[in-house]
Amino acid sequence: MYQSLVKPFLFKKDAEEAHHQICNLMKNGLKVPFVKPILRAQYQFDHPKLEREVFGIKFPNPVGMAAGFDKDAKMITELDCLGFGFVEIGTLTPKPQEGNPKPRLFRLPKDKGLINRMGFNNGGVDDAIDRLKKKGNVIVGGNIGKNKVTPNENAIDDYLYSFDKLYDHVDYFVVNVSSPNTPNLRDLQDKEPLTKLLVTLQERRKNYEVRKPILLKIAPDLTNGQLDDIVQIVSEIKLDGLIATNTTISREGLVSTEKEISEIGMGGLSGAPLRARSTEVIRYLADRLQGQVPIIGVGGIHTPEDALEKLQAGASLIQVYSGFIYEGPKFIKKINQYLAEKL
């Protein structure tokens, strides 16, 4: 029904408007008695082969929702009902910000891709806390970034603020310095500022009784030399994990016309066009890290086979976003059923 009725209806609407409408529909639907157990019965799939322990956390299955879908921690219960093994919220910033001007989210149906230049639109980290207190047993990652108005020389203060606010309410952290939609943010991926940022967060973590994993999300556009720097940093400071990859600024190999792409303009590309490069980066990192640092693989997963490819390349867990939009709510169950059979 999703492919024949729901998706065609949603794809006639502005992409961001459609996102909010479907989220509101899900939230209102769960208020109806008995809907929650019905959804769980229809969409969840449990199997011992899917369970895994990564970063010291026990995941019921390896398929998570990537950051960006649930920026403000409003959809945790709903996504859990659809069978996700974990949910990553954010990117959250210290102060609320509207993000970039609309329209800022675009579909490339011919390519099964999305282009976004959202710009870390969110209600601010403080606004998310009350909702996170009600997350129950769902494994939630907190993806944190800096406000657009914060200069890079003060970026650490932004990350520390959100880190402290979220510490008691999320299960792991993701440091986002790889979004292409906040000016100069990717400069923080350079070796010196990145090392300083990560070490500072690790030092701050010592203030807390419970040790929570800190992960770094990287861009797919890094050169091998830059990836080698990442490998050196995470090895030296013993970072808990990596997420590979964020969206790409590349437009190579798209079926969509140059006119269509130029009319959309700037933004990060996700979805099927990112699959090969994301897997390449995962494989490169896994080979050099020799399994010492777990990797969450994300980028272009649109089939169960794509999910397996990421795991075979060296990922311990995977995340989806664009594939969920294009393939529908049964997508997670299909992946988990396939992985239980193949793993």
Side-chain angles (χ1 to χ4, degrees):
M1 187 173 73
Y2 180 82
Q3 294 294 340
S4 60
L5 293 176
V6 179
K7 180 179 168 184
F9 173 74
L10 291 175
F11 272 44
K12 289 179 181 178
K13 297 176 175 288
D14 170 79
E16 188 172 355
E17 179 187 349
H19 172 82
H20 290 305
Q21 286 186 352
I22 200 69
C23 288
N24 288 334
L25 180 63
M26 290 171 64
K27 290 191 73 64
N28 290 329
L30 283 193
K31 294 176 182 178
V32 179
F34 308 115
V35 168
K36 189 180 294 186
I38 291 173
L39 283 178
R40 290 187 189 279
Q42 184 172 1
Y43 293 113
Q44 288 190 336
F45 178 76
D46 299 318
H47 196 285
K49 286 187 178 180
L50 297 174
E51 298 172 1
R52 54 196 58 210
E53 184 170 331
V54 188
F55 330 119
I57 300 172
K58 292 182 179 179
F59 293 82
N61 71 64
V63 188
M65 171 57 83
F69 187 93
D70 187 17
K71 291 177 178 291
D72 291 299
K74 295 179 178 179
M75 296 293 296
I76 294 172
T77 300
E78 290 76 10
L79 294 171
D80 178 57
C81 286
L82 295 182
F84 285 95
F86 60 107
V87 176
E88 192 170 306
I89 62 165
T91 297
L92 288 168
T93 55
K95 298 176 182 177
Q97 58 182 31
E98 294 184 0
N100 292 321
K102 299 178 181 179
R104 54 195 181 183
L105 180 62
F106 309 88
R107 307 179 190 92
L108 298 178
K110 299 174 188 174
D111 294 284
K112 286 193 171 183
L114 297 174
I115 291 177
N116 92 82
R117 52 173 175 270
M118 304 300 286
F120 287 175
N121 59 305
N122 72 107
V125 65
D126 293 274
D127 181 60
I129 299 301
D130 284 341
R131 290 185 291 273
L132 286 169
K133 290 177 181 178
K134 303 172 185 176
K135 77 179 184 68
N137 295 323
V138 184
I139 298 171
V140 174
N143 187 302
I144 57 177
K146 79 174 189 72
N147 281 112
K148 182 177 181 179
V149 297
T150 304
N152 278 5
E153 54 265 31
N154 301 125
I156 289 179
D157 294 334
D158 275 17
Y159 287 94
L160 284 173
Y161 183 90
S162 297
F163 185 78
D164 286 333
K165 287 288 184 176
L166 289 174
Y167 203 91
D168 292 331
H169 308 291
V170 298
D171 298 284
Y172 69 89
F173 286 92
V174 180
V175 178
N176 188 352
V177 291
S178 53
S179 169
N181 300 316
T182 296
N184 304 316
L185 180 73
R186 285 189 169 191
D187 292 345
L188 295 175
Q189 291 182 120
D190 292 343
K191 191 172 183 180
E192 184 176 342
L194 180 59
T195 303
K196 184 178 180 181
L197 171 59
L198 295 174
V199 169
T200 301
L201 290 172
Q202 288 179 319
E203 286 298 312
R204 179 60 65 93
R205 181 172 59 187
K206 294 178 180 178
N207 293 342
Y208 297 92
E209 291 184 12
V210 178
R211 185 187 186 280
K212 296 191 175 180
I214 299 173
L215 284 65
L216 171 68
K217 188 167 188 175
I218 64 172
D221 307 306
L222 298 178
T223 65
N224 285 351
Q226 290 172 312
L227 291 175
D228 289 336
D229 285 343
I230 297 292
V231 168
Q232 183 179 353
I233 291 169
V234 300
S235 298
E236 288 180 354
I237 70 172
K238 295 181 171 55
L239 195 70
D240 297 292
L242 290 168
I243 298 185
T245 62
N246 212 319
T247 58
T248 179
I249 58 175
S250 172
R251 300 292 187 266
E252 291 184 12
L254 294 178
V255 176
S256 302
T257 66
E258 289 188 16
K259 182 176 183 295
E260 291 170 325
I261 296 167
S262 63
E263 286 177 350
I264 290 173
M266 297 176 63
L269 171 67
S270 62
L274 185 56
R275 180 193 61 80
R277 176 55 184 166
S278 172
T279 302
E280 182 181 20
V281 172
I282 292 166
R283 186 173 287 114
Y284 188 93
L285 293 170
D287 179 64
R288 280 150 183 79
L289 289 166
Q290 298 288 300
Q292 298 301 307
V293 179
I295 299 168
I296 298 179
V298 55
I301 299 175
H302 280 250
T303 68
E305 290 81 7
D306 295 338
L308 182 61
E309 177 187 68
K310 290 284 192 284
L311 295 173
Q312 291 177 333
S316 300
L317 302 166
I318 56 173
Q319 292 176 329
V320 300
Y321 181 163
S322 300
F324 179 69
I325 302 300
Y326 276 92
E327 307 305 326
K330 288 187 177 179
F331 185 45
I332 309 309
K333 186 174 184 178
K334 288 179 181 178
I335 292 176
N336 280 322
Q337 287 175 326
Y338 182 80
L339 293 179
E341 178 185 337
K342 297 295 182 178
L343 293 176

